[in-house]
Amino acid sequence: MRLRERFPGRRKAVPVPAAAKAQPYTFGAPVAGWVTNQSLVKSKPFSAQTLENFLPTSTGISMRGGSIKPATIGAVPVESFITYNAGGTKKIWACDATTIRDVTAPASPTVPPAASVSGQTSGYYSYVNFTTSGGSFVVAVNGTDFLQLYSSTFDWSAVNGLPTYRLNFDTQTINYVTGQTITGGTSGATATVVKLIDNGTTGSLYIQSITGTFQDNETVTGSVAGSAKADIPGGVVQISAAITGVATSVLSHVWLYRNRLFFIEGGTMRARYLGVDSVTGALGSLNLSGIFQRGGSLLFGATWSLDAGDGIDDKCVFVTTEGEAAIFEGSNPAGATAAEWNLVGRYDLTDPMGRRATMRAGGDLIVATKEGLVPISAAINKDAAALSLAAISRNIEPDWKREAARRLSLPWEIIKWPDMNYAIVSLPVTADGQESWSFVVNLETGAWCKFVGWATRCIELHDSRLYFGTNDGEVFEAEIAGNDNGLPIFYTYVGNPDHMKSLGGLKTVHQARPTFLSATPYNPKISFSVNYSVDLPPAPPAADGGTADLWDSGQWDVAKWDQAQPVASVGGGQWISIGKTGYVMQPQLQITGLLNQRPVTEFVQLDVTFETGGVVV
C-alpha cells in the first residue's frame, strides 16, 4: 500500500511567510531643546542630545542668524560694553584694559576709533543708565579707576572727591597733556587737567583743583606741554560735582534701587550709596561683614521684586564672592527703624560666575552660579545643595557644571533679548583649544541649545541689537546675515535615543522625509545613529543663497529695497534612503549656512518608514 493511502492527511502545504510591512513613524522637532541630564534609555520626548545653532521654538527648531564685524578696538580683549539711551541719543562703547571707545557708528571695521576715555587700568565695567532731575547719565565703575560719568551734554568725565569743570580753548599752538598743571597767563589761576578733548586748534580741558579765576582769551599754558587761548566768555563750566566719603576708584559695581545709586566697595563687605535722584554727593556706608558667614567679599548687588515691575515690594540683594545673598527691604539705608531699612534674611547660593552674570525674569532675579542658573526665589526655599534641582539650567546640568569648572578665570555674562525670545549666556574662551560657544535658552519654553562660533568674551544689548566682543579686540553684531563674518555656520541636531515604541526590539529605518517651514534656501542632510553611538557624517555643502535685497548688501539699481520678506512655506522634501538597523535610533540633521541674509528656516518633523525584527536572545 502506498504511504499516502496508509497515512491520509499527514502531509500539508507550508504557508507562504507573510511579507514584512513597513510602518510609519514621526520624529517631532526637539521643541524641548537640548537635554543631557537624563537616562538615555528613556529620554524626554522631543529632546536633543546635540543642538548647535538651532534655536528651539514652540513649534520647531529655527536656524540662528549670523554675525558681522562693525568695529575693532585693537589687539586686546574687549572686556565689556557700556550703552547710553536717553533723549533720542543711543550710543555704545567697547572697553579694553586702558580705553573706552565709541563703536556706535565706526568709520571702519578694522581701524580702532579714537578713545573717548584713556589711561584706565581695567576694562571690566559695571554701569547703569540713570535719569535724574539734572539730566540723563551713564554711571560706570571698574574698581580701580575713578568713577566715569557720561551725559550727552558734557561727554565723559572722571568723578572723585573734587568737582570737575570744563575750560574750552581755541588758537592752540602746542598740544596739552593730561595730569599736568595749567596756568592762566593773565589771571595766574591754576588747575589740574584730568581729561583732554583735542580737536586740533580747538578743544576742551576738564580740570579740577582750581585756584583763582581763569579769564576769557588769556593764554593758558601747561607745566609739561600746551598753549592756547581760553574760550570761556561765561567762565569755566562745572560739569560734575564731587563724590565724597571714599575714593570712587574703589567702587567695583553699581546698580539702582528705589531711585538711588548703590555701589560695592571692591574687596570689602561694605556697600555705598548716594542720595535719592543724585549722581554725586556724599556716599553713605553699609557694613555687611556681620551678616555673612563664609567670608570673601561683596561681589555685586541687584534689585529683586515680588512682582514683574519696580515698586514698593522691591528688595535690595547683596551677593558675595562665596555665594551668600543678603536681602534687605526699605527705602532708606540710613534709617533707624525697620520700616526704613530691614534685613529680610541671609541665604545660600553657590559661587556666582560674575558680577554681570544676572538677569531679571519677571520680577525674579536669576543668578548664574557654578551649579546653574538659579532664581533668588528658589534660594529662599531650598538648601544650597538642592538648588540645582530648581535651576533653570536643569536640563543641561552636566554641561553647565563642566563649563563652569573649565572657564572660571573670566567672568560670565547674561543678556535677555525679548525681541528674539531668548537669553544668551557668554562662555569666554579662557584657554587655547576651547570652543567658542554660548548657552542659549528660549524665554518662553525654557528649552536650551548652544550657539557655536561666537567668541563671546562680553555681550550687550543696544537698540534691540545684540553685540559681543572677543579676546582679539573685535566687536560683532549678532543675528544678522546668514554667515559668521564670511565663515559658514554649521547647524547640527542629534536627537536623544528613541526606541520607537519597541523597547529592545530590532528596527530598520528604510526611508526618511523631513519637513521644513522656510523662506530662504537650505540644503539639509538627514542621517541616523544607532545603539547610543553617535556617528555624524561630514557636513553638507551650503545652499546657494542668491542675492539678498539688503541695504549695504544688494546691488544698486538691482536690489529691491522695499521688497517684503518672503512668506515662509512648508516644504516636505523627498523621501531619502537611510538603511540603518539597531535597537535604538537617533535622528540627525545637518545644514551648512552661508547665506548673505538672515536664514528664515524652521525644522518641524521627520517622517520615517521602518520595519521591526524579533528580539534576539
Side-chain angles (χ1 to χ4, degrees):
M1 182 182 291
R2 290 179 296 182
L3 289 176
R4 183 177 296 177
E5 294 173 351
R6 291 184 60 187
F7 302 102
R10 293 290 298 274
R11 185 177 180 185
K12 297 182 178 179
V14 177
V16 177
K21 294 183 179 180
Q23 305 175 53
Y25 189 81
T26 296
F27 294 91
V31 293
W34 182 30
V35 181
T36 60
N37 70 329
Q38 61 185 349
S39 167
L40 293 177
V41 177
K42 195 172 183 180
S43 301
K44 186 175 182 179
F46 306 106
S47 63
Q49 183 172 321
T50 300
L51 197 59
E52 297 180 354
N53 295 325
F54 281 113
L55 177 70
T57 69
S58 57
T59 56
I61 53 173
S62 60
M63 297 166 61
R64 74 157 171 89
S67 58
I68 61 172
K69 183 175 73 173
T72 301
I73 65 170
V76 289
V78 183
E79 297 187 28
S80 55
F81 290 104
I82 299 173
T83 68
Y84 176 80
N85 184 4
T89 300
K90 298 179 180 181
K91 301 178 77 68
I92 180 169
W93 296 267
C95 312
D96 61 34
T98 60
T99 66
I100 299 175
R101 298 176 188 267
D102 189 345
V103 293
T104 309
S108 168
T110 57
V111 178
S116 301
V117 178
S118 58
Q120 302 295 92
T121 58
S122 171
Y124 185 57
Y125 289 87
S126 168
Y127 79 95
V128 294
N129 279 253
F130 188 30
T131 298
T132 72
S133 56
S136 296
F137 303 92
V138 170
V139 180
V141 296
N142 64 11
T144 63
D145 301 300
F146 289 136
L147 178 150
Q148 291 289 331
L149 187 68
Y150 174 85
S151 76
S152 58
T153 304
F154 299 118
D155 200 61
W156 289 99
S157 61
V159 180
N160 54 20
L162 298 170
T164 301
Y165 299 84
R166 184 179 65 193
L167 186 157
N168 294 332
F169 61 82
D170 58 19
T171 322
Q172 180 178 247
T173 57
I174 302 174
N175 293 338
Y176 294 101
V177 296
T178 58
Q180 67 176 334
T181 299
I182 58 171
T183 304
T186 303
S187 66
T190 62
T192 301
V193 179
V194 295
K195 181 181 177 181
L196 167 66
I197 297 178
D198 193 331
N199 299 320
T201 59
T202 64
S204 300
L205 298 174
Y206 287 68
I207 57 178
Q208 294 179 340
S209 304
I210 297 177
T211 62
T213 303
F214 287 97
Q215 297 179 10
D216 188 32
N217 286 323
E218 70 174 332
T219 299
V220 178
T221 57
S223 58
V224 177
S227 179
K229 288 189 176 181
D231 182 18
I232 48 173
V236 295
V237 178
Q238 181 173 338
I239 62 171
S240 69
I243 293 180
T244 60
V246 70
T248 61
S249 57
V250 303
L251 304 179
S252 59
H253 186 76
V254 58
W255 74 104
L256 281 172
Y257 173 70
R258 301 281 184 96
N259 205 33
R260 188 192 296 265
L261 287 171
F262 277 76
F263 303 89
I264 298 298
E265 186 177 328
T268 74
M269 284 291 186
R270 285 186 297 275
R272 301 282 182 166
Y273 57 91
L274 287 171
V276 173
D277 192 38
S278 178
V279 294
T280 56
L283 286 165
S285 178
L286 284 172
N287 191 342
L288 306 180
S289 57
I291 296 174
F292 298 107
Q293 303 173 4
R294 299 208 298 259
S297 59
L298 289 175
L299 182 64
F300 68 88
T303 299
W304 173 50
S305 179
L306 297 181
D307 58 26
D310 296 322
I312 60 174
D313 63 342
D314 285 356
K315 308 291 189 288
C316 194
V317 181
F318 301 88
V319 179
T320 72
T321 55
E322 306 306 304
E324 292 181 278
I327 300 176
F328 287 80
E329 61 184 1
S331 59
N332 181 14
T337 66
E340 293 176 296
W341 190 252
N342 178 51
L343 175 64
V344 175
R346 185 203 64 84
Y347 306 96
D348 290 327
L349 302 169
T350 53
D351 294 358
M353 298 304 297
R355 295 188 193 120
R356 300 200 299 261
T358 65
M359 74 172 183
R360 292 280 293 271
D364 214 344
L365 176 66
I366 313 297
V367 181
T369 71
K370 287 183 179 179
E371 295 297 313
L373 204 54
V374 178
I376 283 290
S377 58
I380 292 177
N381 302 312
K382 294 183 182 295
D383 184 82
L387 280 178
S388 63
L389 299 176
I392 296 171
S393 54
R394 172 69 174 160
N395 282 349
I396 57 168
E397 181 180 358
D399 299 87
W400 182 287
K401 289 183 176 180
R402 181 184 64 249
E403 296 306 319
R406 294 173 63 209
R407 306 183 191 236
L408 271 176
S409 60
L410 291 174
W412 293 17
E413 298 182 17
I414 304 174
I415 288 294
K416 182 175 67 173
W417 196 357
D419 289 351
M420 298 299 292
N421 200 33
Y422 68 68
I424 181 170
V425 183
S426 71
L427 298 183
V429 174
T430 58
D432 291 340
Q434 279 186 350
E435 201 173 17
S436 299
W437 55 278
S438 302
F439 291 124
V440 178
V441 60
N442 184 303
L443 294 174
E444 179 183 357
T445 67
W448 287 86
C449 66
K450 66 178 180 180
F451 284 179
V452 178
W454 292 353
T456 52
R457 171 67 180 262
C458 57
I459 50 179
E460 187 56 271
L461 193 65
H462 169 65
D463 197 18
S464 297
R465 298 155 68 183
L466 184 69
Y467 292 84
F468 64 89
T470 73
N471 286 342
D472 299 325
E474 297 174 314
V475 175
F476 287 88
E477 182 179 352
E479 290 288 2
I480 188 170
N483 60 81
D484 280 336
N485 203 41
L487 298 176
I489 305 171
F490 297 100
Y491 302 86
T492 306
Y493 153 56
V494 179
N496 269 312
D498 193 326
H499 289 273
M500 301 174 68
K501 299 183 179 179
S502 177
L503 187 64
L506 194 65
K507 293 164 281 287
T508 299
V509 173
H510 291 297
Q511 299 181 94
R513 181 183 64 187
T515 299
F516 292 88
L517 185 65
S518 181
T520 50
Y522 61 97
N523 180 30
K525 176 180 280 191
I526 302 295
S527 60
F528 274 79
S529 286
V530 300
N531 301 338
Y532 306 106
S533 179
V534 174
D535 182 19
L536 275 169
D544 182 5
T547 300
D549 294 339
L550 299 177
W551 187 261
D552 271 349
S553 296
Q555 295 181 353
W556 188 260
D557 275 345
V558 175
K560 301 174 183 177
W561 308 122
D562 59 349
Q563 182 76 2
Q565 182 66 258
V567 177
S569 59
V570 176
Q574 301 295 320
W575 286 99
I576 59 174
S577 178
I578 300 296
K580 282 282 190 174
T581 300
Y583 300 100
V584 61
M585 298 289 174
Q586 292 180 258
Q588 300 173 157
L589 167 64
Q590 294 167 276
I591 298 176
T592 301
L594 197 56
L595 301 178
N596 56 7
Q597 63 188 110
R598 190 178 181 279
V600 184
T601 298
E602 184 175 34
F603 171 66
V604 177
Q605 67 184 46
L606 181 67
D607 299 318
V608 301
T609 61
F610 75 102
E611 293 179 6
T612 58
V615 179
V616 179
V617 295

